[in-house]
Amino acid sequence: MSRRATLGVLVALVASLLLAASTDAAGVTGTAPLSVNVDRARIATKLGHRFVFRSTIWNHGSMPVSGVIAHLNVLSLRSGVYVDPEDWSTHRTLYLGTIPAGGSTTRTWRMQAVNAGRFGVYVAVLTSNGVAGAPTAGPAIEIAVADGKTLNSGGILPLALGIPAGLGLLAVSLRFQRRG
């Protein structure tokens, strides 16, 4: 190979390495040095109950990653079950700012079980300048939601029994007043 061809190959190799390093450090591609961990693999709860879990987003790179955005996702593990993630959590997107090189940030996600069945919940991260890149997703947490049918759902039992009983007592009282 000629010197000129060798020099051209060397320049192209160095340029591609520099481009890859700057892209990864900026968090623009799916190869960004970010990872997501969660504090548990499974949560068992009942319909209507609230639960929490924590996710930690790590920057394994040698440069800070700015504009980090974490997003909570919910899906059913069975077909035919409609899931509206907004019902499960009203705060599904968090703007985390900058994560320093080698650093991390931990966030608590508060949720409420609104469907019975088995669901997957996971956190994905992107950077605000990395929309074209693939998100980095953490492991899914299996959420097992038991059908929480109860006699006193939402504290309604006193009203359900009290109103008819009160109306019955009022009717009996009025009847005795008319006779007396």
Side-chain angles (χ1 to χ4, degrees):
M1 190 186 286
S2 72
R3 245 194 244 178
R4 186 177 219 168
T6 304
L7 183 60
V9 169
L10 185 59
V11 167
L13 180 62
V14 168
S16 68
L17 288 173
L18 288 174
L19 178 62
S22 67
T23 299
D24 287 349
V28 173
T29 69
T31 61
L34 297 175
S35 69
V36 181
N37 295 327
V38 290
D39 65 349
R40 63 196 72 206
R42 188 172 196 283
I43 297 173
T45 189
K46 290 183 179 178
L47 188 64
H49 286 207
R50 296 182 189 279
F51 59 94
V52 299
F53 72 93
R54 287 169 189 73
S55 66
T56 302
I57 295 94
W58 290 90
N59 176 2
H60 300 286
S62 59
M63 307 241 338
V65 177
S66 62
V68 178
I69 304 165
H71 186 72
L72 178 67
N73 299 285
V74 182
L75 56 93
S76 174
L77 298 176
R78 294 180 317 166
S79 64
V81 176
Y82 173 75
V83 176
D84 184 354
E86 294 292 329
D87 292 341
W88 287 74
S89 177
T90 56
H91 298 93
R92 294 181 35 242
T93 303
L94 299 175
Y95 296 87
L96 305 176
T98 299
I99 300 178
S104 67
T105 184
T106 300
R107 294 296 190 252
T108 299
W109 300 91
R110 300 180 191 294
M111 301 184 72
Q112 182 171 1
V114 296
N115 301 86
R118 289 180 49 238
F119 301 88
V121 172
Y122 64 97
V123 175
V125 294
L126 278 174
T127 60
S128 59
N129 58 353
V131 175
T136 300
I141 300 172
E142 180 186 358
I143 310 295
V145 181
D147 195 1
K149 292 183 182 171
T150 177
L151 186 60
N152 190 22
S153 178
I156 193 75
L157 188 61
L159 287 173
L161 295 177
I163 290 176
L167 290 173
L169 286 173
L170 180 63
V172 169
S173 170
L174 289 174
R175 185 172 279 177
F176 279 124
Q177 284 181 356
R178 288 184 181 168
R179 287 187 182 178

